[in-house]
């Protein structure tokens, strides 16, 4: 005898493919039971054929954080709550979309690794991009390194469907937790046809921001994600997105196909300061770094002696070094770092953490310094 669940799944799939009238599986009792499983095994708590389908990929962070005190906004446990609880906490998202959940990881974002990034990107490409029944993806994430994951997904998921990265600054147990509303807004943007072909976006605190440029600017407050010079793409008012501009891609953005990539080479970031020691550079290289990013003073600056050490590492070991900036805003132009004796690379408008992601992706494909330099040059002014 065919088990009843398999029968319902087969019936639903058949109806999905051939129905002229809306396929409607209403929400399970108290909104929690699964009523539909798609061809990739994603479970939905409702299937209303008139609504778009969205998958939430949960990775942990404060949005999934928990504490025994409702006023604690520090010292709580990140990544304590699962994707199912996140979805169930916002029943109104089911008025916007049919939602499935995937638990990709459940960690504080400082523990997101390049292996998790590769796996997350491949999951989104397979479960959302390659499935014509899916409209978009939402990724829940800790805010501390959210911009790095957002930049990685912006570069590696390029099917035009919206990919929204969302976090929260208050844990789910706090009074006025920001996670539920941020998640509702993210699902709404992911489900909007107006959000197509805009790359990955960060949706938090009623703002829609480009993953390419946006950075965390404040360690504690809710209005933390900003791209000060480039601005926001749009705003959410009463859970309705308004985009200020038509779809556009950032200048210098490079798309990557990582379907055959298994590993991202190690790239270290070194911070520039008065009296900076050269051995930090040699130690990084000896420890296995295949590329280096400098969080330079001002427009990429390092001490004179460190500059000689960089030239030695570039020329003798063929290791690319990107000079970025430790300031939150501004640009490192090539004219501020170039020399006749080594290929210095300026990060342009990319901050150190975004430069690290881009260099890692480039190194996963090729270690040719000229090719790497020409990609970074697209982000620089002079
Ligand atoms: C984290 O990044 O995982 C903790 C902090 C946060 O999510 O806001």
């Amino acid at each position: 005898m065919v088990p009843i669940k398999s029968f319902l799944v087969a019936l639903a799939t058949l109806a999905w493919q051939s129905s002229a009238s809306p396929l409607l599986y209403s929400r399970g009792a108290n909104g929690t039971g699964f009523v539909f499983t798609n061809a990739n095994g994603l479970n939905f708590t409702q299937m209303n054929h008139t609504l778009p389908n969205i998958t939430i990929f949960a990775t942990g962070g404060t949005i999934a954080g928990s504490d025994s005190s409702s006023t604690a906004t520090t010292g709580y446990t990140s990544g304590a709550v699962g994707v199912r609880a996140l979805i169930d906490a916002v029943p109104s998202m089911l008025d916007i979309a049919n939602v499935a959940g995937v638990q990709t990881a459940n960690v504080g974002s400082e523990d997101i690794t390049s292996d998790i990034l590769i796996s997350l990107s491949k999951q989104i490409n397979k479960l959302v991009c390659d499935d014509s029944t899916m409209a978009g993806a939402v990724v829940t994430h800790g805010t501390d390194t959210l911009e790095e994951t957002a930049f990685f997904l912006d570069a590696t998921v390029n099917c035009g469907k919206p990919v929204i990265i969302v976090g929260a600054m208050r844990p789910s147990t706090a009074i006025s937790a920001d996670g539920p509303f941020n998640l509702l807004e993210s699902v709404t943007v992911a489900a909007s046809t107006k959000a197509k072909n805009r790359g990955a976006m960060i949706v938090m605190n009623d703002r829609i921001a480009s993953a390419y440029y946006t950075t965390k600017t404040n360690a504690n407050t809710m209005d933390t994600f900003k791209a000060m010079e480039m601005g926001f793409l749009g705003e959410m008012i009463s859970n309705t997105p308004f985009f200020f501009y038509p779809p556009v891609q950032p200048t210098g953005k490079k798309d990557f196909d990582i379907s055959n990539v298994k590993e991202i080479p190690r790239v270290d970031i070194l911070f520039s300061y008065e009296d900076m020691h050269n051995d930090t550079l040699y130690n990084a290289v000896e420890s296995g770094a295949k590329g280096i990013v400098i969080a330079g003073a001002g427009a990429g600056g390092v001490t004179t002696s460190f500059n000689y050490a960089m030239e030695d590492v570039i020329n003798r070991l063929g290791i690319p070094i990107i000079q970025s900036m430790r300031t939150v805003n501004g640009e490192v132009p090539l004219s501020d770092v170039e020399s006749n004796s080594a290929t210095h690379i300026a990060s342009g408008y990319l901050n150190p953490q975004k430069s690290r992601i881009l260099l890692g992706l480039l190194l996963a494909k090729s270690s040719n310094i000229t090719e790497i330099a020409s990609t970074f040059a697209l982000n620089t002014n002079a």
Side-chain angles (χ1 to χ4, degrees):
M1 195 165 119
V2 181
I4 185 76
K5 188 169 170 236
S6 311
F7 172 73
L8 286 175
V9 168
L11 192 67
T13 308
L14 196 65
W16 172 272
Q17 285 158 354
S18 62
S19 73
S21 58
L23 172 64
L24 186 61
Y25 288 91
S26 46
R27 294 172 205 181
N30 68 29
T32 55
F34 294 130
V35 298
F36 182 80
T37 303
N38 79 0
N40 282 317
L42 294 182
N43 290 314
F44 292 80
T45 48
Q46 79 173 12
M47 181 47 64
N48 179 341
H49 204 16
T50 63
L51 296 179
N53 299 330
I54 300 296
T55 302
I56 298 179
F57 298 84
T59 69
T62 294
I63 192 166
S66 169
D67 195 273
S68 52
S69 156
S70 63
T71 52
T73 58
T74 57
Y76 50 84
T77 309
S78 277
V81 172
V83 64
R84 199 58 209 286
L86 291 179
I87 295 173
D88 289 346
V90 192
S92 47
M93 75 169 72
L94 298 179
D95 299 332
I96 311 282
N98 305 307
V99 178
V102 173
Q103 192 77 53
T104 303
N106 208 0
V107 294
S109 70
E110 61 281 0
D111 288 327
I112 296 284
T113 60
S114 54
D115 286 347
I116 295 177
L117 292 184
I118 292 172
S119 144
L120 176 62
S121 171
K122 288 185 178 177
Q123 281 178 339
I124 297 175
N125 276 303
K126 176 173 185 276
L127 300 176
V128 176
C129 285
D130 295 349
D131 182 342
S132 60
T133 67
M134 297 300 302
V138 171
V139 176
T140 61
H141 201 287
T143 60
D144 289 349
T145 67
L146 184 148
E147 65 181 277
E148 293 167 52
T149 297
F151 189 90
F152 187 92
L153 295 177
D154 190 47
T156 61
V157 181
N158 291 297
C159 60
K161 294 183 184 178
V163 176
I164 311 301
I165 300 90
V166 60
M169 292 301 286
R170 292 179 179 163
S172 65
T173 42
I175 299 170
S176 267
D178 49 336
F181 211 88
N182 285 345
L183 187 57
L184 176 64
E185 292 186 335
S186 297
V187 168
T188 304
V189 176
S192 167
T193 52
K194 293 184 190 145
K196 286 182 178 172
N197 300 315
R198 294 178 184 273
M201 289 169 274
I202 297 169
V203 173
M204 279 184 66
N205 204 39
D206 302 336
R207 303 310 196 304
I208 308 168
S210 156
Y212 197 76
Y213 289 122
T214 303
T215 190
K216 185 172 183 179
T217 62
N218 188 301
N220 316 103
T221 61
M222 292 200 298
D223 60 340
T224 177
F225 282 95
K226 291 182 183 146
M228 303 291 264
E229 305 292 342
M230 300 81 180
F232 293 112
L233 300 180
E235 247 180 29
M236 299 294 293
I237 305 285
S238 295
N239 198 36
T240 305
F242 184 89
F243 284 97
F244 301 134
Y245 316 101
V248 66
Q249 294 295 323
T251 306
K253 182 188 157 184
K254 184 171 164 65
D255 293 345
F256 291 84
D257 173 359
I258 60 157
S259 48
N260 293 321
V261 170
K262 298 204 165 36
E263 184 180 16
I264 303 289
R266 172 171 163 175
V267 175
D268 285 354
I269 300 176
L270 301 177
F271 200 87
S272 173
Y273 48 91
E274 292 175 353
D275 257 347
M276 185 181 198
H277 297 293
N278 299 351
D279 52 9
T280 58
L281 178 61
Y282 290 107
N283 288 343
V285 171
E286 270 164 36
S287 301
K290 299 289 181 281
I292 304 284
V293 174
I294 307 292
V302 292
T303 63
T304 306
S305 144
F306 196 91
N307 201 52
Y308 287 131
M310 289 201 306
E311 302 216 335
D312 174 44
V313 165
I314 297 166
N315 290 333
R316 193 167 51 83
L317 304 174
I319 292 194
I321 301 182
I322 315 302
Q323 282 172 261
S324 183
M325 67 237 141
R326 64 182 203 181
T327 56
V328 179
N329 293 300
E331 185 208 357
V332 178
L334 189 56
S335 53
D336 264 2
V337 301
E338 70 190 340
S339 85
N340 292 328
S341 44
T343 307
H344 288 245
I345 305 174
S347 73
Y349 285 94
L350 297 180
N351 68 20
Q353 52 273 33
K354 289 171 193 285
S355 300
R356 188 187 75 89
I357 297 287
L358 179 57
L359 181 54
L361 282 165
L362 287 163
L363 285 168
K365 298 278 180 188
S366 152
S367 54
N368 182 302
I369 292 196
T370 314
E371 272 176 45
I372 292 169
S374 64
T375 300
F376 274 93
L378 300 172
N379 290 282
T380 63
N381 207 5

